[in-house]
């Protein structure tokens, strides 16, 4: 059998399963189904021509051949990872995943990264997905959004406030079309319930798939949007939007920068992080 037919992607499955001696635990770590892990191990056993595990009612046990092979495969695999990590540490291309709603905040900072670190290239992927899984996604860094998050570095906390185009200044809030950044009314309802004094009835409503679209619609005068005060700060400063109320409401959600784990700090990712966070 040709050495090129060796199922290299099955070696990790073997090593993880050998560590756990449990398909359920191995599948959870590999983000695969138990069946997928079993098939990978079976393909490796077929290539070697001998079993790597002995199956018992109470679980798995390494076969004599699997026990003999394990240390060398583990050493070779760790060497391969070390080589890959050293190559990654010299990278100049940063593959960044970010939610579309963060673009208003992110783009000016990417321009700063370009000025301060001209050797870095940022390959940006925008998405409506607010999370990242570095085990299954080929990104080096990601901006994630959600509640009760602690991973990575805090960029800013979400705080909602109404914004309108200056051309609609003076109009009664209740007479305008309420622009929603989601398919429900959650954000507007949260802000309205926290306000003192007479409430507003949302007679006219327009829903969008992202906050960025709702903000753009507000800039064009379609109505009043509920938006994160950090995301609209530049638009307010430039006069494209205004805040009819100073009050903002924290939602408990935040935007955070998370990086793929690397063995050292002296690399492109560390420079990108320091620049994005404006840290020396």
């Amino acid at each position: 059998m040709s050495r090129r037919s060796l199922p290299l992607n099955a070696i990790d499955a073997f090593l993880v399963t050998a560590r756990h001696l449990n398909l359920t635990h191995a599948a959870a770590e590999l983000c695969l189904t138990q069946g997928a892990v079993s098939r990978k191990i079976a393909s490796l056993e077929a290539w070697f021509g001998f079993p790597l595990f002995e199956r018992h009612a109470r679980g798995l046990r390494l076969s004599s051949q699997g026990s003999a092979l394990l240390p060398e495969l583990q050493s070779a695999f760790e060497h391969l990872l070390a080589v890959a990590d050293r190559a990654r540490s010299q990278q100049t291309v940063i593959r960044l995943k970010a939610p579309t709603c963060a673009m208003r905040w992110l783009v000016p900072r990417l321009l700063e990264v370009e000025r301060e670190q001209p050797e870095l290239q940022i390959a940006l992927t925008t998405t409506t997905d607010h999370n990242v899984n570095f085990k299954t996604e080929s990104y080096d860094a990601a901006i994630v959004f959600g509640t009760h998050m602690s991973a990575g570095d805090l960029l800013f906390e979400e705080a909602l406030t109404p914004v309108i185009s200056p051309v609609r200044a003076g109009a009664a809030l209740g007479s305008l079309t309420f622009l929603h950044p989601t398919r429900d009314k959650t954000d507007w309802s949260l802000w309205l319930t926290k306000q003192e004094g007479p409430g507003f009835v949302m007679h006219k409503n327009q829903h969008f798939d992202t906050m960025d679209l709702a903000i753009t619609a507000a800039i064009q005068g379609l109505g009043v949007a509920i938006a994160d005060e950090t995301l609209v700060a530049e638009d307010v400063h430039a006069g494209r939007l205004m805040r009819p109320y100073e009050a903002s409401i924290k939602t408990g959600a935040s935007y955070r920068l998370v990086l793929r784990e690397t063995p050292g700090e002296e690399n492109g990712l560390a420079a990108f992080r320091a620049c994005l966070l404006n840290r020396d």
Side-chain angles (χ1 to χ4, degrees):
M1 187 177 293
S2 169
R3 64 187 297 182
R4 289 187 175 274
S5 65
L6 172 64
L8 293 172
N9 63 351
I11 293 177
D12 190 30
F14 165 63
L15 296 176
V16 172
T17 304
R19 186 169 70 252
H20 291 290
L21 291 178
N22 183 291
L23 282 175
T24 300
H25 295 164
E29 180 174 333
L30 293 166
C31 296
L32 297 171
T33 64
Q34 291 185 46
V37 176
S38 293
R39 288 190 292 274
K40 286 179 179 292
I41 292 173
S43 69
L44 199 58
E45 290 176 325
W47 194 90
F48 282 122
F50 53 75
L52 298 170
F53 294 97
E54 296 174 357
R55 280 75 172 173
H56 298 277
R58 301 181 65 180
L60 298 176
R61 187 167 61 207
L62 282 165
S63 68
S64 58
Q65 298 98 324
S67 294
L69 190 61
L70 178 60
E72 292 191 59
L73 274 184
Q74 183 71 62
S75 176
F77 193 72
E78 289 178 355
H79 176 71
L80 177 62
L81 292 178
V83 171
D85 283 338
R86 284 196 297 271
R88 182 185 292 276
S89 70
Q90 304 302 318
Q91 69 182 0
T92 58
V93 178
I94 305 296
R95 297 166 296 178
L96 173 65
K97 177 183 180 181
T100 54
C101 56
M103 287 303 100
R104 296 187 116 78
W105 178 88
L106 178 61
V107 170
R109 283 154 183 80
L110 290 184
L111 293 175
E112 293 177 12
V113 171
E114 188 176 81
R115 287 193 296 268
E116 296 180 20
Q117 302 288 339
E119 74 283 0
L120 293 182
Q121 300 178 53
I122 309 301
L124 175 64
T125 298
T126 59
T127 175
T128 55
D129 180 11
H130 290 164
N131 299 290
V132 68
N133 186 335
F134 288 124
K135 289 184 178 180
T136 59
E137 299 178 84
S138 57
Y139 297 106
D140 304 301
I143 293 176
V144 296
F145 171 77
T147 57
H148 309 296
M149 299 174 61
S150 59
D153 298 288
L154 175 66
L155 298 174
F156 56 92
E157 295 178 295
E158 183 179 55
L160 299 177
T161 190
V163 288
I164 60 172
S165 167
V167 301
R168 306 302 297 269
L173 189 65
S175 69
L176 298 173
T177 299
F178 286 77
L179 308 177
H180 301 272
T182 61
R183 289 295 168 180
D184 57 28
K185 299 178 181 179
T186 301
D187 288 351
W188 261 118
S189 297
L190 176 64
W191 189 84
L192 290 171
T193 57
K194 297 293 184 178
Q195 302 313 302
E196 298 180 356
F200 300 97
V201 178
M202 293 183 283
H203 290 296
K204 295 183 290 184
N205 300 275
Q206 184 68 50
H207 298 265
F208 297 89
D209 290 326
T210 68
M211 183 173 289
D212 190 62
L213 290 174
I215 293 170
T216 299
I219 290 174
Q220 295 177 5
L222 184 60
V224 56
I226 189 75
D228 177 80
E229 62 182 0
T230 301
L231 295 181
V232 296
E234 181 59 31
D235 292 305
V236 172
H237 178 74
R240 292 184 291 269
L241 288 172
M242 61 174 292
R243 294 175 60 170
Y245 299 88
E246 285 300 317
S248 62
I249 300 298
K250 287 190 176 182
T251 65
S254 62
Y255 291 82
R256 305 185 72 91
L257 173 68
V258 292
L259 307 180
R260 183 186 294 276
E261 292 184 3
T262 57
E265 289 295 323
E266 299 301 321
N267 51 50
L269 275 178
F272 169 73
R273 172 181 176 272
C275 197
L276 196 65
L277 298 176
N278 195 24
R279 298 177 183 173
D280 295 332

